[in-house]
Amino acid sequence: MDQPSTLQLAGGLISGKYVAPGGEALTRRTNQIKALLSSRRLPEKGWDERSIRMLIDDLAAMDANNFLGQVGLGEREGRLACPLVINRHYGFAHGIGRSGSLTADQPKAAGSSLVCRLANLLVLDALVTAGLKSTTSALLLPMATGLALQQVFLALRDIRGPEAEYVVWPRVDQKTCFKCITSAGLKPLVVNLQCGSRHNRAGQDNHDDDDDNDELRVTPAGIEAAIERAGGASRVLCVFTTTSCFAPRAPDPVDKIARLCGTLGVPHVINNAYGVQSRQLCRAIDRSWTVGRVDAVVQSTDKNFMVPVGGAIVCSGGKGYVGQVDVVHKVSERFPGRASGSNHLDILMTLLWMGKQGWIERLEKREKMMGYLTQKLTLCAERLGERILKTPSNPISLGMTLASLVRPEEGEGGRDKGRRRGGDPVTMLGSMLFRRNVSGTRVVGRGGTINLGAECVFENYGAHIDERGIPYLTAAAALGLEEEEVDVFVERLEKTFRKLTRFERPAVPDS
Ligand SMILES: *Cc1c(COP(=O)(O)O)cnc(C)c1O
């Protein structure tokens, strides 16, 4: 005889006809879990919290530290002391990976291992959905973007050998981008950017669509020259390009550079920090790894998936290269030891909660918000007698000039700070906005000179280019931004700006 089921036993306590619908409700939830385990993709519709909780609780119960009657005599038994910590981690304690690799299954922790595997699979599906259509492998790393990039460089170093010590890098004024190169024991070879309009005026060969603009961009010819400067392809570990960046810097032309790297046999790593949220950037990368060489693409989890800082994704795709070692796999394999599983859990829960539809909705909303921010800021700039920097190829970040905050006697690039009361108005705008609870905007004025070591001195740091121009302010339309935030931002910006210009020009009568 079969044992009675839980529901049959429940039917012995209360009326069976009431138990049935309750049982069906449970079955619907377990079917969701079954569908996830068999499809290995994002659920079409997001799950409710109860379903996510059910899955997570079941998975945690599959780890030995939560077994009933378990005795542990080892040195890593996943014992947790504080109940708050147990709650924060849903009882998970074993993390991810083993000495073998970051994705290796853990004998004592089937649940944690499943969290790790599922998170990687859903991340892959989310990347494909966002527009990185031909992604073939994706690895979630328990570290943020900079450190993940360093791991990619170290993996490439294992493959390329010690002679390849240069990283050819179009300038981005974000210290992490520089430090991920030097902390891997490599030498950055900086490629300077050119300004769209100035570039044009110089009468150089320009085949790009819109040249009369403010964009700072690198040319494939500049990359090629840098590879020569390094002493040829064998001396170059990789070309390290960037897609998502602050205006007026333009995303690097990754497809053209991929072609060049393919021809020259030089690896190519793309820093796509917050680019997953842009269809345009995803498309450019997807094109790149079909037409040329891309060894790895790195993106942040917090900037793209609305989870706390701590994770990054390394991915690759397209046709791959004949004889090319899978860098993504290499990164996982060479990782020393175990790591926190918190990022995997955050991503898994978030992606289940959003579902494919919710993910697509958020991505589409962001594209709309970029339009909204552009429109609102353009009107604001007109009212203030300023203009929006023309940066048509940057799909996330915008710049607005701050010409009226430049003190007349200083002119462009003047150095005599603080001659009047209150300091430099351009700098003040930044701190005043910050004090008015506006975060994320950057004010770029007269950047200083900075020495980041490795024989690299940057002039005008913060502006991506040595030449000093008109100061400007940047703002970004990132995932999750709301209309209301844009409205309030524009209002506070305008008010603050007017306050500063009034203070600056109290006694100058109109001509
Ligand atoms: C955020 C960012 C980084 C640094 O990322 P971390 O996640 O802080 O390591 C590097 N490059 C770019 C372009 C970024 O936007």
Side-chain angles (χ1 to χ4, degrees):
M1 275 300 286
D2 280 350
Q3 294 283 320
S5 72
T6 314
L7 288 180
Q8 281 164 342
L9 289 170
L13 292 172
I14 64 166
S15 163
K17 67 174 189 272
Y18 298 158
V19 170
E24 282 155 22
L26 283 174
T27 307
R28 276 198 294 279
R29 287 190 195 276
T30 44
N31 283 349
Q32 262 183 331
I33 295 177
K34 270 192 197 160
L36 171 71
L37 294 175
S38 68
S39 78
R40 302 166 176 193
R41 286 166 182 268
L42 292 172
E44 200 53 41
K45 280 185 68 179
W47 290 11
D48 68 351
E49 286 176 51
R50 188 177 302 279
S51 288
I52 297 172
R53 187 78 202 222
M54 222 169 106
L55 170 70
I56 296 306
D57 282 345
D58 283 355
L59 290 176
M62 291 169 75
D63 281 6
N65 60 311
N66 297 318
F67 286 179
L68 292 171
Q70 180 77 3
V71 289
L73 278 304
E75 80 292 0
R76 47 190 185 101
E77 296 295 339
R79 292 189 178 101
L80 305 178
C82 175
L84 294 171
V85 173
I86 296 174
N87 285 335
R88 173 165 128 77
H89 296 275
Y90 295 87
F92 288 107
H94 280 284
I96 57 163
R98 312 176 68 189
S99 43
S101 112
L102 200 54
T103 47
D105 298 338
Q106 298 198 28
K108 277 188 226 176
S112 291
S113 304
L114 277 163
V115 168
C116 177
R117 181 60 69 87
L118 284 169
N120 276 299
L121 288 164
L122 296 196
V123 155
L124 173 62
D125 197 20
L127 294 181
V128 171
T129 305
L132 291 165
K133 288 189 191 135
S134 41
T135 310
T136 47
S137 55
L139 174 71
L140 181 52
L141 289 175
M143 55 190 73
T145 324
L147 202 50
L149 282 161
Q150 183 213 59
Q151 293 296 306
V152 168
F153 295 148
L154 290 171
L156 276 173
R157 180 139 217 198
D158 287 355
I159 299 163
R160 301 270 292 167
E163 202 203 333
E165 58 179 349
Y166 289 101
V167 173
V168 170
W169 173 62
R171 178 169 166 181
V172 187
D173 288 359
Q174 192 146 2
K175 286 181 194 161
T176 311
C177 304
F178 184 88
K179 285 158 79 179
C180 64
I181 301 171
T182 52
S183 66
L186 299 161
K187 294 179 180 160
L189 232 169
V190 183
V191 184
N192 287 320
L193 308 180
Q194 291 173 316
C195 180
S197 48
R198 283 176 208 134
H199 186 50
N200 205 30
R201 242 178 277 140
Q204 287 172 18
D205 172 33
N206 252 308
H207 35 270
D208 275 336
D209 14 319
D210 191 354
D211 285 315
D212 187 24
N213 60 36
D214 300 293
E215 287 188 344
L216 303 175
R217 44 171 110 149
V218 73
T219 59
I223 302 279
E224 203 169 353
I227 294 173
E228 255 169 51
R229 249 195 297 152
S234 65
R235 302 281 283 139
V236 177
L237 182 92
C238 68
V239 174
F240 175 32
T241 55
T242 305
T243 51
S244 56
C245 55
F246 298 121
R249 193 190 187 285
D252 292 334
V254 283
D255 48 351
K256 288 178 192 155
I257 295 172
R259 263 203 210 101
L260 177 70
C261 288
T263 311
L264 299 179
V266 176
H268 180 197
V269 174
I270 300 178
N271 177 4
N272 189 38
Y274 50 102
V276 179
Q277 59 191 296
S278 159
R279 194 151 282 272
Q280 184 182 315
L281 296 180
C282 286
R283 229 183 267 137
I285 292 168
D286 212 48
R287 206 165 44 237
S288 302
W289 56 35
T290 24
V291 302
R293 176 160 188 172
V294 179
D295 296 66
V297 184
V298 177
Q299 36 263 309
S300 152
T301 55
D302 64 282
K303 291 176 187 171
N304 294 292
F305 293 100
M306 303 175 87
V307 292
V309 174
I313 302 158
V314 184
C315 71
S316 64
K319 60 179 192 258
Y321 260 74
V322 188
Q324 186 182 320
V325 181
D326 181 358
V327 174
V328 176
H329 183 68
K330 185 91 188 167
V331 167
S332 166
E333 262 192 334
R334 64 181 298 291
F335 192 90
R338 303 167 297 157
S340 161
S342 294
N343 300 288
H344 290 70
L345 192 57
D346 288 345
I347 280 279
L348 176 62
M349 292 168 94
T350 301
L351 289 178
L352 286 174
W353 188 76
M354 285 183 184
K356 189 166 180 163
Q357 282 179 14
W359 173 230
I360 292 173
E361 273 163 27
R362 278 175 179 77
L363 293 170
E364 285 174 351
K365 167 97 188 266
R366 194 211 69 82
E367 304 281 350
K368 257 181 51 197
M369 289 308 297
M370 181 62 186
Y372 188 69
L373 175 67
T374 309
Q375 183 197 342
K376 286 283 170 170
L377 205 57
T378 304
L379 291 173
C380 172
E382 278 169 16
R383 288 193 297 270
L384 296 173
E386 301 288 344
R387 67 180 184 91
I388 298 297
L389 296 177
K390 231 170 130 187
T391 52
S393 58
N394 193 320
I396 300 174
S397 170
L398 274 180
M400 184 185 97
T401 60
L402 302 174
S404 16
L405 296 186
V406 178
R407 287 176 172 166
E409 70 270 28
E410 287 174 4
E412 277 187 20
R415 283 191 161 277
D416 36 359
K417 270 189 190 175
R419 223 196 268 162
R420 287 195 202 173
R421 261 182 318 126
D424 172 34
V426 173
T427 318
M428 276 177 71
L429 178 69
S431 57
M432 282 168 81
L433 284 173
F434 184 75
R435 286 301 305 267
R436 284 159 178 73
N437 289 357
V438 173
S439 59
T441 61
R442 282 166 75 247
V443 167
V444 179
R446 288 156 301 161
T449 302
I450 186 172
N451 186 346
L452 291 181
E455 295 162 32
C456 284
V457 176
F458 296 90
E459 297 292 334
N460 197 23
Y461 197 76
H464 311 292
I465 189 164
D466 286 359
E467 235 178 326
R468 292 171 214 277
I470 308 164
Y472 58 88
L473 165 139
T474 65
L479 206 73
L481 179 70
E482 299 289 343
E483 276 97 346
E484 203 199 338
E485 290 180 280
V486 173
D487 295 344
V488 173
F489 159 58
V490 168
E491 195 184 305
R492 287 182 193 163
L493 169 64
E494 191 165 340
K495 225 168 158 178
T496 313
F497 191 98
R498 287 193 191 283
K499 198 167 181 174
L500 275 170
T501 43
R502 247 197 328 270
F503 178 69
E504 277 306 300
R505 311 226 163 98
V508 182
D510 284 340
S511 51

